[in-house]
Amino acid sequence: MSSLPQCPQCNSEYTYEDGSLYVCPECAHEWAKDAAEESLNETRVVHDANGNVLQDGDTVTVIKDLKVKGSSLVVKVGTKVKNIRLVEGDHDIDCKIDGIGAMQLKSEFVKKA
């Protein structure tokens, strides 16, 4: 068994080293050795306004009045949001707010309840 990582594009197990690169013979994808090591160590951690780590399913409280873009609605301070889901991007919380509906929030405007 080889200790080399699988190809990130096609998941082939037949990768080989070529200088400072890993190469996949099946799809011809090449990537740097240090990039493969960084991706293993890289886990995204999302923090709230107070620095607490957020996870999927947490309940958070809004700490600032937030205007809903394209609407006259406002999410008021103190609004509890249950069962959040963390996503990639600028707005890193996906949730449903009672009376408003599905929204995305930035983690800097919430605190863990």
Side-chain angles (χ1 to χ4, degrees):
M1 279 283 152
S2 174
S3 63
L4 297 175
Q6 291 184 343
C7 176
Q9 279 194 324
C10 69
N11 291 326
S12 170
E13 59 186 30
Y14 301 112
T15 58
Y16 63 91
E17 293 181 63
D18 185 23
S20 64
L21 296 174
Y22 288 124
V23 180
C24 175
E26 293 184 0
C27 70
H29 179 65
E30 298 178 354
W31 68 101
K33 287 182 183 179
D34 41 349
E37 293 170 6
E38 287 176 14
S39 66
L40 293 175
N41 297 334
E42 182 181 313
T43 54
R44 187 163 179 262
V45 178
V46 178
H47 298 278
D48 68 357
N50 295 333
N52 298 319
V53 177
L54 295 175
Q55 297 177 345
D56 287 343
D58 282 346
T59 299
V60 295
T61 305
V62 178
I63 61 167
K64 176 183 175 184
D65 280 347
L66 302 173
K67 294 180 184 177
V68 178
K69 193 172 188 176
S71 170
S72 62
L73 299 173
V74 176
V75 179
K76 297 286 188 181
V77 172
T79 302
K80 275 197 169 186
V81 181
K82 298 177 184 174
N83 199 19
I84 65 170
R85 196 179 67 166
L86 301 177
V87 294
E88 294 289 326
D90 187 30
H91 292 74
D92 43 14
I93 297 174
D94 205 11
C95 62
K96 284 187 180 178
I97 299 178
D98 293 337
I100 296 177
M103 289 191 68
Q104 288 187 331
L105 300 172
K106 291 186 178 184
S107 58
E108 62 196 61
F109 298 122
V110 299
K111 67 177 181 179
K112 196 170 186 175

